[in-house]
Amino acid sequence: MTTYKGLRGIISYDAMETIRNTNEWMGASARALASYPAFALLPNPLFKLMSAWGRVTERSFARMVIKPDWEIPPIVSEDGQDHVVYVEPVIERPFGDLVHFRVARRAPQARKVLLVAPMSGHYATLLRTTVTSLLPDCEVYVTDWHNARDIPVSCGKFDIDDYTQYLVDFIRHLGPDTNVIAVCQPAPLALAATALLAEEDPKAQPRSLILIGGPIDPDAAATEVTDFGNRITMGELDYLMIQQVGFKYRGAGRMVYPGLAQLSSFIAMNAETHAKAFLDKIFAEARGQASEGDKHNTFYDEYLAVMDMTAEFYLSTVERIFKEREIAQNRFTVNGKPVDLGKITDVAVMTVEGANDDISAPGQCVAALALCTGVPETRKTQHLEPGAGHYGIFAGKSWRLNIRPLVLDFIDEQIQPAGPRKRRRRGPEPVEGGVISLSERDAKIAV
């Protein structure tokens, strides 16, 4: 039975990759054939449309297996000089690295920030604009999670216990002056990692913990995500969603929740909008009005780039965070050791929610403040952003104009907790150009 299931999983995984590869090949073939110089003598617009369809199709299906680059622009200093940003790994692990964005020829900033990226189907580069907005004022580190299909089976498992331990190790390495910002999915696990440090190594606790749109208590406010988690059984989830990496990748044989499967569900949620976007792009290409860096390419180069999650991480997240509500009920354990959130005493805690968030609805994240019984009320704060959806609270206009200044103020208060505080100079506000505007529905991060 196990052999049959494994064989079925590999066949299903390779079938999806075959479909993707075939569509990429068809796009490349159509582009090359319709662009043949001799056809330029025939005044038939179908050749231009065929070539445009080929270019759009080839690019779209190729992006699905390409990890996007960070492409962080240079930071402008007070004297007008550009400072190049280098992406440098600090700790390298099989399932994820701790990455530092080093700004050349600039002294280390007082605000040290660890940005915990979600492992939810997209790469950490989804937070590119968040990183860009923080870099002028902060020393920024990010958790850069790896694609499970590229991790050999010999590297072992990776579930939410391992994820939490990674966070513990990263925070301990950065030191107690670290300010942790956890975005969406990792919020409950960042809270658990902080509690572990509070009990095992109190001096290594972060200075502050900012939780943005995370499912601390999924039952506090129902959404489509929580309804799905409650409606489906773990057996159904395992049978329907989990596949085995095929022979093409280094992780052959590893059980995963495939990124391509998740992407297909994302697109199906808003199929008409996506179909119109691609038709408009094809006609723009045919008319010669499209460009390499236009809004369509900027959005879909990131949106279509998906990564696989290990099966044990996906399943344990659904079961323990959403179904059993172990964090919400303060019953979470890491490798069998109980984690008491009440042990957190010396860490300032802030929660941020969006009033229109339909993934982690208002009430889910702020529940963390009630769980941190050891933190004085004076070191807790919350913010509900009016009119903001899920993506907007960490990378959209609401983040840039309203939430980011509040987060920096909160961090400053922990650096200088007593007496009158001189406001630190902040870098220029991020501009609109180059910002990826994922629609709220399309930016849904899987459970």
Side-chain angles (χ1 to χ4, degrees), residues 356-391:
N356 296 343
D357 191 340
D358 59 354
I359 298 175
S360 293
Q364 291 189 17
C365 191
V366 74
L369 299 183
L371 292 169
C372 295
T373 55
V375 179
E377 293 300 319
T378 55
R379 302 198 69 194
K380 297 179 185 177
T381 188
Q382 59 178 293
H383 176 70
L384 178 65
E385 180 66 19
H390 187 72
Y391 190 77

Short mmCIF file of all heavy atoms in Angstrom, two decimals, residues 356-391:
data_model
loop_
_atom_site.label_atom_id
_atom_site.label_comp_id
_atom_site.label_asym_id
_atom_site.label_seq_id
_atom_site.Cartn_x
_atom_site.Cartn_y
_atom_site.Cartn_z
N ASN A 356 -9.82 44.67 6.85
CA ASN A 356 -10.43 43.92 5.74
C ASN A 356 -9.66 42.65 5.41
O ASN A 356 -9.78 42.11 4.30
CB ASN A 356 -10.50 44.80 4.49
CG ASN A 356 -11.41 46.00 4.68
OD1 ASN A 356 -12.23 46.02 5.59
ND2 ASN A 356 -11.28 46.99 3.81
N ASP A 357 -8.87 42.16 6.35
CA ASP A 357 -8.08 40.95 6.12
C ASP A 357 -9.00 39.74 6.08
O ASP A 357 -9.67 39.42 7.07
CB ASP A 357 -7.05 40.80 7.24
CG ASP A 357 -6.01 39.73 6.93
OD1 ASP A 357 -6.28 38.87 6.07
OD2 ASP A 357 -4.94 39.74 7.57
N ASP A 358 -9.07 39.06 4.93
CA ASP A 358 -9.94 37.89 4.82
C ASP A 358 -9.16 36.59 4.91
O ASP A 358 -9.68 35.51 4.61
CB ASP A 358 -10.73 37.93 3.50
CG ASP A 358 -9.83 37.98 2.27
OD1 ASP A 358 -8.59 38.09 2.45
OD2 ASP A 358 -10.34 37.90 1.14
N ILE A 359 -7.89 36.67 5.34
CA ILE A 359 -7.09 35.46 5.56
C ILE A 359 -6.88 35.25 7.06
O ILE A 359 -7.24 34.22 7.61
CB ILE A 359 -5.74 35.57 4.84
CG1 ILE A 359 -5.97 35.68 3.32
CG2 ILE A 359 -4.87 34.35 5.15
CD1 ILE A 359 -4.72 35.92 2.54
N SER A 360 -6.28 36.25 7.72
CA SER A 360 -6.19 36.26 9.18
C SER A 360 -7.02 37.43 9.67
O SER A 360 -6.52 38.55 9.82
CB SER A 360 -4.73 36.40 9.64
OG SER A 360 -3.99 35.25 9.29
N ALA A 361 -8.29 37.18 9.87
CA ALA A 361 -9.24 38.25 10.18
C ALA A 361 -8.92 38.91 11.52
O ALA A 361 -8.28 38.30 12.39
CB ALA A 361 -10.66 37.70 10.19
N PRO A 362 -9.35 40.17 11.70
CA PRO A 362 -9.13 40.86 12.97
C PRO A 362 -9.62 40.04 14.15
O PRO A 362 -10.74 39.52 14.14
CB PRO A 362 -9.93 42.15 12.81
CG PRO A 362 -10.00 42.37 11.33
CD PRO A 362 -10.06 41.02 10.72
N GLY A 363 -8.78 39.91 15.15
CA GLY A 363 -9.08 39.10 16.32
C GLY A 363 -8.17 37.90 16.42
O GLY A 363 -7.83 37.45 17.53
N GLN A 364 -7.71 37.37 15.27
CA GLN A 364 -6.84 36.20 15.29
C GLN A 364 -5.45 36.54 15.83
O GLN A 364 -4.87 35.77 16.60
CB GLN A 364 -6.72 35.60 13.89
CG GLN A 364 -7.99 34.96 13.37
CD GLN A 364 -7.76 34.19 12.08
OE1 GLN A 364 -6.62 33.87 11.72
NE2 GLN A 364 -8.84 33.88 11.37
N CYS A 365 -4.89 37.66 15.42
CA CYS A 365 -3.52 38.00 15.79
C CYS A 365 -3.45 38.66 17.16
O CYS A 365 -2.55 38.37 17.96
CB CYS A 365 -2.89 38.90 14.73
SG CYS A 365 -1.11 39.13 14.90
N VAL A 366 -4.39 39.54 17.45
CA VAL A 366 -4.36 40.28 18.71
C VAL A 366 -4.53 39.34 19.90
O VAL A 366 -4.22 39.70 21.05
CB VAL A 366 -5.45 41.37 18.71
CG1 VAL A 366 -6.84 40.75 18.89
CG2 VAL A 366 -5.18 42.40 19.79
N ALA A 367 -4.97 38.11 19.66
CA ALA A 367 -5.11 37.13 20.73
C ALA A 367 -3.77 36.86 21.42
O ALA A 367 -3.74 36.38 22.55
CB ALA A 367 -5.69 35.83 20.16
N ALA A 368 -2.68 37.17 20.75
CA ALA A 368 -1.35 36.94 21.34
C ALA A 368 -1.15 37.75 22.61
O ALA A 368 -0.46 37.32 23.54
CB ALA A 368 -0.26 37.29 20.32
N LEU A 369 -1.73 38.94 22.66
CA LEU A 369 -1.52 39.81 23.82
C LEU A 369 -2.10 39.20 25.09
O LEU A 369 -1.50 39.29 26.17
CB LEU A 369 -2.15 41.19 23.57
CG LEU A 369 -1.59 41.96 22.36
CD1 LEU A 369 -2.24 43.34 22.27
CD2 LEU A 369 -0.08 42.08 22.43
N ALA A 370 -3.25 38.54 24.97
CA ALA A 370 -3.85 37.90 26.14
C ALA A 370 -3.06 36.68 26.58
O ALA A 370 -3.02 36.33 27.76
CB ALA A 370 -5.29 37.51 25.83
N LEU A 371 -2.39 36.01 25.63
CA LEU A 371 -1.61 34.82 25.95
C LEU A 371 -0.31 35.18 26.66
O LEU A 371 0.24 34.37 27.43
CB LEU A 371 -1.31 34.03 24.68
CG LEU A 371 -2.51 33.36 24.01
CD1 LEU A 371 -2.13 32.85 22.63
CD2 LEU A 371 -3.02 32.20 24.87
N CYS A 372 0.22 36.38 26.39
CA CYS A 372 1.49 36.81 27.01
C CYS A 372 1.19 37.40 28.39
O CYS A 372 1.33 38.62 28.62
CB CYS A 372 2.20 37.82 26.12
SG CYS A 372 2.73 37.14 24.54
N THR A 373 0.81 36.55 29.31
CA THR A 373 0.40 37.01 30.64
C THR A 373 1.55 37.57 31.46
O THR A 373 1.32 38.33 32.40
CB THR A 373 -0.25 35.84 31.41
OG1 THR A 373 0.68 34.73 31.45
CG2 THR A 373 -1.53 35.38 30.73
N GLY A 374 2.79 37.21 31.10
CA GLY A 374 3.94 37.70 31.86
C GLY A 374 4.46 39.04 31.40
O GLY A 374 5.33 39.64 32.06
N VAL A 375 3.95 39.55 30.30
CA VAL A 375 4.41 40.84 29.76
C VAL A 375 3.54 41.95 30.36
O VAL A 375 2.31 41.89 30.28
CB VAL A 375 4.31 40.86 28.22
CG1 VAL A 375 4.76 42.21 27.68
CG2 VAL A 375 5.16 39.74 27.61
N PRO A 376 4.14 42.98 30.93
CA PRO A 376 3.35 44.09 31.48
C PRO A 376 2.50 44.75 30.40
O PRO A 376 2.90 44.83 29.23
CB PRO A 376 4.43 45.06 32.00
CG PRO A 376 5.65 44.24 32.17
CD PRO A 376 5.60 43.17 31.14
N GLU A 377 1.33 45.21 30.79
CA GLU A 377 0.42 45.84 29.83
C GLU A 377 1.05 47.06 29.16
O GLU A 377 0.72 47.39 28.03
CB GLU A 377 -0.88 46.24 30.53
CG GLU A 377 -1.72 45.07 31.01
CD GLU A 377 -2.15 44.16 29.86
OE1 GLU A 377 -2.51 44.70 28.79
OE2 GLU A 377 -2.12 42.94 30.04
N THR A 378 1.96 47.72 29.88
CA THR A 378 2.62 48.90 29.31
C THR A 378 3.54 48.55 28.16
O THR A 378 3.97 49.44 27.42
CB THR A 378 3.42 49.63 30.41
OG1 THR A 378 4.34 48.70 31.01
CG2 THR A 378 2.48 50.20 31.47
N ARG A 379 3.90 47.26 28.03
CA ARG A 379 4.79 46.83 26.95
C ARG A 379 4.03 46.05 25.88
O ARG A 379 4.65 45.34 25.07
CB ARG A 379 5.94 46.00 27.51
CG ARG A 379 6.77 46.73 28.56
CD ARG A 379 8.12 46.08 28.75
NE ARG A 379 8.97 46.26 27.58
CZ ARG A 379 10.10 45.56 27.38
NH1 ARG A 379 10.49 44.65 28.26
NH2 ARG A 379 10.83 45.77 26.30
N LYS A 380 2.73 46.17 25.87
CA LYS A 380 1.90 45.56 24.84
C LYS A 380 1.19 46.66 24.06
O LYS A 380 0.79 47.67 24.64
CB LYS A 380 0.84 44.63 25.46
CG LYS A 380 1.35 43.44 26.22
CD LYS A 380 0.17 42.65 26.78
CE LYS A 380 0.60 41.51 27.66
NZ LYS A 380 -0.56 40.79 28.24
N THR A 381 1.04 46.44 22.78
CA THR A 381 0.27 47.39 21.98
C THR A 381 -0.33 46.66 20.79
O THR A 381 0.16 45.60 20.38
CB THR A 381 1.14 48.57 21.51
OG1 THR A 381 0.32 49.56 20.90
CG2 THR A 381 2.17 48.11 20.48
N GLN A 382 -1.38 47.23 20.25
CA GLN A 382 -2.03 46.64 19.08
C GLN A 382 -2.42 47.74 18.11
O GLN A 382 -2.61 48.89 18.51
CB GLN A 382 -3.26 45.84 19.50
CG GLN A 382 -4.31 46.67 20.23
CD GLN A 382 -5.53 45.88 20.60
OE1 GLN A 382 -6.28 45.45 19.73
NE2 GLN A 382 -5.75 45.68 21.90
N HIS A 383 -2.53 47.36 16.84
CA HIS A 383 -2.97 48.32 15.83
C HIS A 383 -3.87 47.62 14.83
O HIS A 383 -3.54 46.56 14.30
CB HIS A 383 -1.76 48.92 15.10
CG HIS A 383 -2.16 49.84 13.98
ND1 HIS A 383 -2.74 51.07 14.20
CD2 HIS A 383 -2.08 49.69 12.62
CE1 HIS A 383 -2.99 51.66 13.04
NE2 HIS A 383 -2.60 50.84 12.07
N LEU A 384 -5.02 48.21 14.59
CA LEU A 384 -5.95 47.73 13.58
C LEU A 384 -5.99 48.78 12.47
O LEU A 384 -6.41 49.91 12.69
CB LEU A 384 -7.34 47.52 14.18
CG LEU A 384 -8.43 47.07 13.20
CD1 LEU A 384 -8.12 45.68 12.65
CD2 LEU A 384 -9.81 47.07 13.88
N GLU A 385 -5.54 48.38 11.29
CA GLU A 385 -5.44 49.32 10.17
C GLU A 385 -6.75 49.35 9.38
O GLU A 385 -7.15 48.35 8.76
CB GLU A 385 -4.30 48.91 9.24
CG GLU A 385 -4.10 49.82 8.04
CD GLU A 385 -3.64 51.23 8.42
OE1 GLU A 385 -3.14 51.42 9.55
OE2 GLU A 385 -3.81 52.14 7.59
N PRO A 386 -7.45 50.50 9.39
CA PRO A 386 -8.73 50.60 8.67
C PRO A 386 -8.53 50.41 7.16
O PRO A 386 -7.57 50.93 6.57
CB PRO A 386 -9.21 52.02 8.98
CG PRO A 386 -8.42 52.45 10.19
CD PRO A 386 -7.11 51.74 10.09
N GLY A 387 -9.43 49.66 6.55
CA GLY A 387 -9.43 49.51 5.10
C GLY A 387 -8.35 48.65 4.52
O GLY A 387 -8.26 48.50 3.30
N ALA A 388 -7.49 48.04 5.35
CA ALA A 388 -6.36 47.26 4.84
C ALA A 388 -6.70 45.78 4.78
O ALA A 388 -7.31 45.23 5.70
CB ALA A 388 -5.13 47.47 5.72
N GLY A 389 -6.30 45.15 3.69
CA GLY A 389 -6.42 43.71 3.58
C GLY A 389 -5.15 43.03 4.05
O GLY A 389 -4.28 43.65 4.66
N HIS A 390 -5.02 41.75 3.72
CA HIS A 390 -3.91 40.97 4.25
C HIS A 390 -2.55 41.46 3.73
O HIS A 390 -1.64 41.72 4.51
CB HIS A 390 -4.10 39.50 3.90
CG HIS A 390 -3.09 38.60 4.54
ND1 HIS A 390 -3.11 38.32 5.89
CD2 HIS A 390 -2.02 37.94 4.03
CE1 HIS A 390 -2.10 37.51 6.18
NE2 HIS A 390 -1.43 37.27 5.07
N TYR A 391 -2.43 41.58 2.43
CA TYR A 391 -1.15 41.97 1.86
C TYR A 391 -0.78 43.40 2.22
O TYR A 391 0.39 43.72 2.45
CB TYR A 391 -1.19 41.80 0.34
CG TYR A 391 0.16 41.96 -0.33
CD1 TYR A 391 1.09 40.94 -0.27
CD2 TYR A 391 0.48 43.12 -1.00
CE1 TYR A 391 2.33 41.07 -0.88
CE2 TYR A 391 1.71 43.27 -1.61
CZ TYR A 391 2.63 42.24 -1.55
OH TYR A 391 3.86 42.39 -2.14
#
